[in-house]
Structure formats: structure tokens, C-alpha cells
Amino acid sequence: MNPLAPLYRAIEWMPVLAQDITVLVVLVMPALIVGALVLVGFRPFPLVRAMLWRFRWTNALFVLLIAVSVGLGVGLIAQERGLRQGTARAADPFDLVISAPGSEITMMFAAVYLQPSDVPLLSGEIYDEVANAPDVTLAAPIAFGDSYVSSPVVGSTAQFVTHLSPDLAEGAMFADRLEAVIGSRVDLALGDSFTPAHGVGDAAEHDAHAHVEYVVSGRMQPTGSPWDRAIIVPVEAVWEIHGLANGHAPENADQLGPPFDPDYFPGTPAILVSAEQLYVNYALRAQFTTDRTMAFFPGTVLANLYSLMGDVRQVMSIMAVVTQILVTAGVLAGLVILTRLFARRLALLRALGAPGRFVFSVVWSYAATLIFSGAVLGVAIGYGAAALISRVVSAQTDILVTATLSWPEFHLVGAFVSLTVILALVPAFIALSRPVVTDLRS
Amino acid sequence: MSLDLKIDDLEVRAASGRVLLSVPRLSVAAGMCLGVKGPSGAGKSTFLFSLAGLGANSSGAIAWGGTDLMVLSPEARAKFRRHHIGMVFQDFLLFEELSAAANAALPGAYSRRARQAVIARKAGDVLDRLGIAHGGRTVESFSGGERQRVAIARALAADPEIVLADEPTASLDRKTADRLIEDLVRMVREEGKTLIAVSHDPAVYTRMDRVIEIVDGAIVSDEVRDG
Ligand SMILES: Nc1ncnc2c1ncn2[C@@H]1O[C@H](COP(=O)(O)OP(=O)(O)OP(=O)(O)O)[C@@H](O)[C@H]1O
Ligand SMILES: [Mg+2]
């Protein structure tokens, strides 16, 4: 599948960084060897500089074309990885989610990425069972469905807030039913009050909870996930404003947070479960995969989703390779045409008695300079494009997507440079085969 | 080694088959200054290119000091030019964006490291003698006369035994042309080089030892001057 796989297998005893560097060196090596063989004994650079300067705008345009195509490849790879890492990071706090049976993906989008969705509720007995399972350290209801402006208002517990943001950025944890802790990017200040709407987005009913006012008591640290836009309130409040029991028996009516009384537990669409040990999570998943409940690891769902899309990625990377081959062919044709611009100068050199290999090295160095400059500029363009798209994606989804350049991009660029620089031998040969006197007289 | 020129049965054809130049027999002693005259299109440039081993579609023998260029490979001919021939072209053919000094020292770019400094020094000397003081400037801004001097300096930089010059004074005014041809001939004679100069300019012939005339690809007159 990956043409580099055998190489990686052969050097897997090395530290990872050394592996990546080795692969890059192996990819670039053909270009370096060709360059050394072509250039040994000659210093064509003053002439090459003169040729570059002579047709600087044509050359600049050519460099730009190479740069854009390299940038596209680099940007795509970087972007795809950024998106994958960003969604994985956002799902990181959600070890195990338990919900009513249905689509894991729909449930994951709803509970982890806060994409609104109507889902059945889990009963108090089930919550109780989950919360009292051995070794469970956190069992938090996630009661979504209300909103304020563009922020989902989610009912949960103080433990859940602490799970997402171990320290608050400012303020304090809600200590009262009508207090709220907001995500880092919610446009409210400490002490501000607001009235939630029933439902989310266009379907929200703004007057449904008109008598309710939450006061912002604290703000979470940034998490790089849609939860940065969310407002977390005590789940008791969510239940109460919907006219339901508040999770506690009348004699404990003022209690906030667990334990909840199953008899007064109106239900929750999802429960986030966290345990110290991995095997506990697996045991819980098995235990709650029943005909009444569904238990899933969002990380696994995400991985499955990506491996499903892996086929798409495969197609995309084949397309990327085909594009690069087309670009390479274009580069080659362009170089043959460009070197014709210099036909008279090259003929002059040969008429003066320059060795064929010197003329060859002039043409090749000229081509290699354009290719190399284009590749370097292309990396910059790719990085810039990835950074730009990341910002757009982050703004649209609230999933923090960071654009970084990493080894796969450098490997792609290294392979591209090697291939084209070797193919640049062709225009050099063509330049040498031109008739000297005809070109001199032209 | 004395590089006398000896031509036998030289025939150069165009791709179409038309005979451009036919020289059954010609000898030129080393150290001689030979002028080549003739009407436009007669084949003078073709003759000069052939002497440098740059002729295509040619047959016969062109021997410099016994080395027949016609039997050599293109690469061996290039090597012969590199070591023994300096050329001045009909239009100057300089690298516009390089300095005068760099243009004149161009043969150093493809020579062994040890020779590069020698060539650069010689190029600088010739530029000095031809009155080009601003060798560091790029030749873009140079006048025709200045360009021609740089081209001559380039031809002499590698200290060749043979100098082939095609219209070295073309497009120059009378005074500049006279000065230039005088300087060129003086330097060539001082160093005992062979000079073969194509020209329309009678002032050039007067400084030559011998003048041949080419018409329609054939040598129609051969005049040894006493001077
Ligand atoms: N590459 C070529 N293919 C075919 N014919 C050519 C080629 N080069 C030159 N000729 C022809 O050869 C003939 C001689 O050309 P050449 O340039 O040698 O003349 P010349 O005597 O140097 O003229 P001028 O004084 O104008 O420079 C001309 O008829 C020209 O058209
Ligand atoms: Mg001519």
C-alpha cells in the first residue's frame, strides 16, 4: 500500500525520528547523487545565475507553478492529519459513552461534538447501575437539548466539568442550581445572566424557559473541542426547568450532583463513564452492550470512521500522485521550452569549446534550481494553506485543527524533488543534441 | 607544435544538398594574419565555422598542425577549440547580465581550477590593453565598440594559438574600427598567433599578410601582401 512500508520495516529498530530522517535522506539521495555526478569538476553557478536573472519573470512564474502544485499536495496531507488529530483530541476526555441503543456515530456526534440530535433517554436504574459499577471513577449524565444563542446548554455534574477542565480559567464551579460554567469561547462574562432556549438552532423555542435565568459562575480552560462553545449547568436545573423531578428524593431536594436517586431520575440521553484502568472500561462496555443500552469508545468509533474513510484517502492519495506525475510531466515540458530560450547561449558555450558535460551541468543546475526553489516555496505555500483552512475549519466546527508540517509532507516533497531533478536530465540531453551553428546564427 | 592550417577537398553542404563552400586546397602558415573578403552570403562565416570544427555536412580534411578536425568526435573538436582556438563572432554573443570581466574570462568557467586564475588574469590584461577600464560593470550598458572589445578579450583569454574573427569591426565607426583592428593585430603578432579575420572592411585587409576572397563558396583570389 504505502511504497515506503518496506523501508520503514527495514529500519524499525531505529528511534522514530531517526527513521523519518533516514527515509527523507533515502528519498533525496538520488537527487544528491545525480547532482554530484553532474556537477563534479565544474562551477556552472555564475552562468546559471545569469540565466535565471535574464528571464527572471518567466522563471519566477515557473517556480510558482511548481510551488502551487507542491503546496497543494503538502497542504492536503497536513490538513487531513490536522483534522484527524483535532477530532481525536476533542474526543479524548470521552473514554466510554453509554446511551440508548442506536447509531454510535450519531450518538458520538451528539455527546462528544455537541451536534444536536433527538435521542431516547436512559433511565435512572441504568444510571444507577453504571454509577455503582466497581472501579468507575466518573459517571456523568450529559443532558443536552437546550441552547443559548449558538451555545448548547448541557446539564451535567461538577465532576464532569472538572474532567473537561481540571482547573477553571476563572471564577468558580456552579454551587447553585441556576449557576453555569461556560466554555472558553462563550461570549459571556462572569456574573452575566442568560435565559436558555428549548432546543437548538432555528428550531429553538425562546420563550419556553422564559422564567429561568442562569448566572455565569466560572469559565473552563480551552479544550480545543466544541465544548469550548458549550455552557454547562447542573443537570438538576435542566430537569427542573422541563418540569421533571430533579434526580433527588424530596428530603434531599437541594442536593447538587451525585448520588442520584433512581426513583427521581428523569433520564439522560448519555452517560460519560471514566475508569482508572483500561480493562474496567472494556468490562463496562461489555456489561452495557445490551438490548437496552449501547456502550462505545468514541476514540474507537472515530478510528473506525477514519479507517472507513481510509479507502477514500487511498483514492485521494492516488489522485495526488497522478497529479504530481502530471505536474512533473508539465515541469519537464516547460524545462525543454525554457532551455530553448537559452539555445543561443548554450551554442555559444559549445562553439567556444566548453565540454558537453559543462553545458549539460549548466542546463541541469538551472532546472534543478527552479525545481528546488519551487519545492521550498511549495512547502511554505502548503503550510500557509493548511493554516488558513485549519482556521476556517476550527471556526466552523469548534474543533481545534492545528496545521503543522510533518514528515510525510517532507517525504512527499523529497520524492518529488528527486524525481523531477532526475527527469531534468532529459532537457539537458535535449539541449546538448541541438545543432551549434544553427543556434548560433538564430 | 606549430599549428599550420592545411585544407584538402573541403566541401560544406546545406541540409538541402546545395554546396555552400568548396575549398580543394589551402595552406596557411602558423603565425600568419589572413584576411577573408567576399560578398554577403558568399560563405565566409561558413568557412570560419568549418575551421573551428563546427561545420555540419562537410567532407574533406581540415588539419591544424596535423590534427584533422574532420575525423575527431564532436567532444574532441570541442577540446581542440578549448585549447587552441579563440573565436570572435559576427554579433558579439555576450552574457548580458555578466560583467565584462566575467564575460572575458568565460573560458575559465569550464577549465581546470589551476587554469581559471591564469585565464581570468589574461582576460583582465587584454581588457586593460583594449581600454576597457570598468570590467566590473555588466555589459548590458556597453556600446557596440565596447562589446566587441569584450568579445576579443574572451577570444584571447585562454591564450589560443589560433584566433578566428568574424567581422570584428562591423557596425563600428571608422575611428573605433581602426583602433580595434590595430589593437587586435598587434596583440596577435606579439604573441605569434595565427589570425584569420573575415571582414568587409578594406582597412582590415591592409593589416593582413595575405587576403583571400570567397565568392559563391569558392576561393576566387589569394593575394599575399608585403608589409
Ligand atoms: N544553417 C544553414 N543552412 C542552410 N544554409 C545556410 C545555413 N547557414 C548559412 N547558410 C547559407 O550559406 C551561405 C553562406 O552563408 P555565410 O553566413 O557563410 O555567408 P557570409 O559570407 O558569412 O555572409 P555575410 O557577409 O552576410 O556574413 C548563404 O547562402 C546562407 O544562406
Ligand atoms: Mg558571415
Side-chain angles (χ1 to χ4, degrees):
Chain A
M1 203 161 75
N2 182 346
L4 295 178
L7 177 57
Y8 271 108
R9 250 195 315 281
I11 56 172
E12 66 191 348
W13 50 272
M14 293 181 177
V16 174
L17 180 65
Q19 288 183 24
D20 286 325
I21 293 175
T22 306
V23 169
L24 183 64
V25 168
V26 167
L27 286 173
V28 174
M29 192 56 75
L32 296 179
I33 291 173
V34 166
L37 288 178
V38 170
L39 293 177
V40 65
F42 294 122
R43 288 180 320 124
F45 300 110
L47 289 183
V48 171
R49 216 177 305 126
M51 286 165 67
L52 289 168
W53 185 246
R54 180 91 182 105
F55 296 99
R56 49 194 171 279
W57 300 116
T58 313
N59 293 331
L61 187 70
F62 199 72
V63 167
L64 201 66
L65 283 178
I66 298 177
V68 167
S69 76
V70 168
L72 228 59
V74 166
L76 270 178
I77 299 181
Q79 192 57 42
E80 193 266 340
R81 186 189 46 239
L83 204 58
R84 216 156 12 102
Q85 289 175 343
T87 46
R89 189 172 338 100
D92 216 30
F94 296 82
D95 307 4
L96 178 66
V97 172
I98 297 175
S99 67
S103 154
E104 289 181 346
I105 292 174
T106 307
M107 201 57 222
M108 177 181 73
F109 273 108
V112 177
Y113 301 113
L114 295 175
Q115 299 298 307
S117 184
D118 272 331
V119 293
L121 303 182
L122 293 174
S123 69
E125 288 80 55
I126 293 174
Y127 174 82
D128 205 46
E129 223 181 302
V130 173
N132 293 319
D135 298 318
V136 165
T137 49
L138 172 70
I142 304 177
F144 42 81
D146 286 350
S147 67
Y148 170 70
V149 194
S150 59
S151 294
V153 174
V154 182
S156 191
T157 63
Q159 289 87 335
F160 176 70
V161 173
T162 308
H163 185 66
L164 287 185
S165 174
D167 303 299
L168 291 181
E170 53 176 346
M173 183 63 64
F174 43 69
D176 181 88
R177 230 141 266 216
L178 290 179
E179 286 185 343
V181 173
I182 58 179
S184 64
R185 308 210 302 162
V186 173
D187 197 13
L188 285 170
L190 289 193
D192 283 358
S193 56
F194 65 94
T195 297
H198 184 68
V200 181
D202 293 339
E205 298 161 39
H206 293 277
D207 308 332
H209 305 314
H211 56 288
V212 182
E213 260 199 358
Y214 288 111
V215 176
V216 176
S217 71
R219 183 190 293 277
M220 291 190 289
Q221 302 278 1
T223 61
S225 75
W227 287 89
D228 289 344
R229 266 281 175 237
I231 298 172
I232 305 178
V233 298
V235 67
E236 289 88 347
V238 172
W239 285 326
E240 277 179 0
I241 70 173
H242 287 89
L244 303 168
N246 72 9
H248 304 288
E251 57 270 28
N252 299 328
D254 292 335
Q255 192 189 320
L256 215 53
F260 296 101
D261 186 330
D263 294 335
Y264 298 91
F265 190 98
T268 178
I271 306 168
L272 166 70
V273 185
S274 181
E276 287 290 330
Q277 280 105 2
L278 202 59
Y279 75 87
V280 178
N281 280 325
Y282 278 95
L284 287 169
R285 185 176 67 159
Q287 185 185 344
F288 289 99
T289 302
T290 67
D291 51 354
R292 291 178 309 142
T293 54
M294 171 174 83
F296 64 94
F297 301 125
T300 309
V301 174
L302 207 54
N304 290 342
L305 204 57
Y306 274 116
S307 78
L308 194 72
M309 290 192 336
D311 291 343
V312 178
R313 269 164 59 205
Q314 189 80 37
V315 171
M316 269 176 60
S317 58
I318 290 172
M319 274 165 55
V321 168
V322 169
T323 316
Q324 295 292 330
I325 289 172
L326 287 179
V327 168
T328 307
V331 167
L332 200 63
L335 283 174
V336 171
I337 292 166
L338 278 188
T339 46
R340 291 199 63 165
L341 288 176
F342 306 114
R344 198 143 188 246
R345 286 137 189 279
L346 300 177
L348 166 68
L349 288 173
R350 294 169 68 198
L352 290 176
R357 270 198 50 222
F358 176 76
V359 179
F360 190 88
S361 76
V362 168
V363 178
W364 184 85
S365 321
Y366 164 73
T369 305
L370 294 187
I371 292 168
F372 189 74
S373 315
V376 170
L377 189 63
V379 171
I381 288 180
Y383 180 70
L388 199 72
I389 299 171
S390 297
R391 286 175 68 163
V392 173
V393 171
S394 297
Q396 296 278 318
T397 64
D398 293 312
I399 295 170
L400 179 68
V401 177
T402 44
T404 51
L405 286 186
S406 187
W407 290 101
E409 290 92 297
F410 291 122
H411 292 161
L412 176 79
V413 174
F416 174 79
V417 167
S418 257
L419 182 66
T420 42
V421 146
I422 289 171
L423 288 175
L425 295 173
V426 174
F429 273 116
I430 291 176
L432 264 196
S433 67
R434 296 185 60 84
V436 178
V437 174
T438 310
D439 279 355
L440 263 187
R441 284 179 187 263
S442 61
Chain B
M1 180 175 57
S2 139
L3 296 181
D4 299 314
L5 170 65
K6 220 162 131 7
I7 296 180
D8 279 300
D9 297 325
L10 173 65
E11 201 164 81
V12 183
R13 289 169 186 277
S16 63
R18 182 164 69 95
V19 175
L20 297 178
L21 183 70
S22 169
V23 181
R25 182 155 231 105
L26 182 73
S27 297
V28 179
M32 168 96 43
C33 287
L34 176 74
V36 180
K37 64 180 179 181
S40 190
K44 306 184 295 296
S45 296
T46 304
F47 176 63
L48 222 51
F49 282 132
S50 295
L51 295 184
L54 288 165
N57 302 318
S58 24
S59 57
I62 301 168
W64 290 100
T67 306
D68 183 4
L69 296 183
M70 301 291 272
V71 303
L72 297 180
S73 67
E75 203 51 30
R77 289 185 210 177
K79 186 175 178 191
F80 186 87
R81 282 197 294 282
R82 184 154 79 239
H83 289 298
H84 304 294
I85 298 181
M87 293 188 80
V88 181
F89 301 95
Q90 203 160 357
D91 34 16
F92 327 108
L93 285 175
L94 302 175
F95 278 79
E96 295 290 313
E97 39 311 298
L98 291 183
S99 69
N103 266 292
L106 190 61
Y110 44 82
S111 299
R112 279 175 293 107
R113 200 166 290 274
R115 271 200 81 192
Q116 282 168 9
V118 178
I119 289 175
R121 199 172 327 114
K122 175 82 180 176
D125 283 351
V126 179
L127 283 178
D128 281 347
R129 290 189 59 175
L130 293 176
I132 302 284
H134 34 264
R137 256 171 50 199
T138 57
V139 298
E140 270 167 323
S141 56
F142 276 29
S143 71
E146 288 172 318
R147 279 160 203 261
Q148 197 61 294
R149 283 157 214 271
V150 175
I152 288 172
R154 182 177 67 194
L156 296 177
D159 206 11
E161 292 96 327
I162 304 154
V163 178
L164 305 179
D166 201 348
E167 308 277 8
T169 61
S171 73
L172 300 184
D173 63 72
R174 186 70 267 145
K175 236 180 83 193
T176 315
D178 285 345
R179 273 250 316 279
L180 195 74
I181 193 69
E182 201 175 304
D183 286 339
L184 174 61
V185 170
R186 179 156 34 82
M187 281 188 286
V188 162
R189 287 196 191 283
E190 272 172 16
E191 294 168 15
K193 300 181 192 307
T194 305
L195 171 67
I196 300 184
V198 169
S199 184
H200 284 109
D201 183 356
V204 172
Y205 315 145
T206 60
R207 292 179 168 84
M208 300 288 126
D209 304 315
R210 180 180 166 192
V211 177
I212 60 172
E213 182 175 8
I214 300 182
V215 176
D216 280 343
I219 296 177
V220 296
S221 78
D222 188 341
E223 174 194 358
V224 177
R225 306 174 56 91
D226 39 68

